[in-house]
Amino acid sequence: MESFIVFEYEKAKFWTKEGVLFCEFNNRDIHHKLTSGQVERYIEIIKELTNGQIMPFLIDIRNSFGNFTIKAAELFANSPYLKSIRLSEAYVINSINSKLSISSYKRLFEPKTPFQFFDNLDSALEYCLQSKDNYYGTRF
């Protein structure tokens, strides 16, 4: 069994497994706004976990409400480090509001990285593994 380290910060968890960065957000406060300070901390955690390796991101927002500030969205989209390692993004969602919010974010701030929406983790992980296969040529 593969072991891995899980980093938790406020309402988020991050870990890598099978060459995929997993991000799970658990924010039940509909009025919460993700700030640029929180995103800066997320980027530091991602740096520690990924160590410069290019990989797909699997982002689970099924248990998350709220939104993000414009500065937070810009920082997440334009971070030189994240741009250098983000291969693709698989968003696991369970509401039209999440889909609309992420679609707007992608269109306005980060249209270059390929992404897909999924309603379950298995399909999202398969997309990530296929994305990695396409980039590296084989699973490792």
Side-chain angles (χ1 to χ4, degrees), residues 8-33:
E8 292 187 50
Y9 176 71
E10 293 185 0
K11 299 172 193 281
K13 292 180 187 178
F14 300 88
W15 68 96
T16 59
K17 186 176 178 184
E18 298 183 60
V20 175
L21 174 70
F22 289 79
C23 310
E24 180 181 300
F25 295 94
N26 291 298
N27 171 44
R28 304 307 283 173
D29 179 3
I30 197 161
H31 301 291
H32 178 76
K33 283 202 181 267

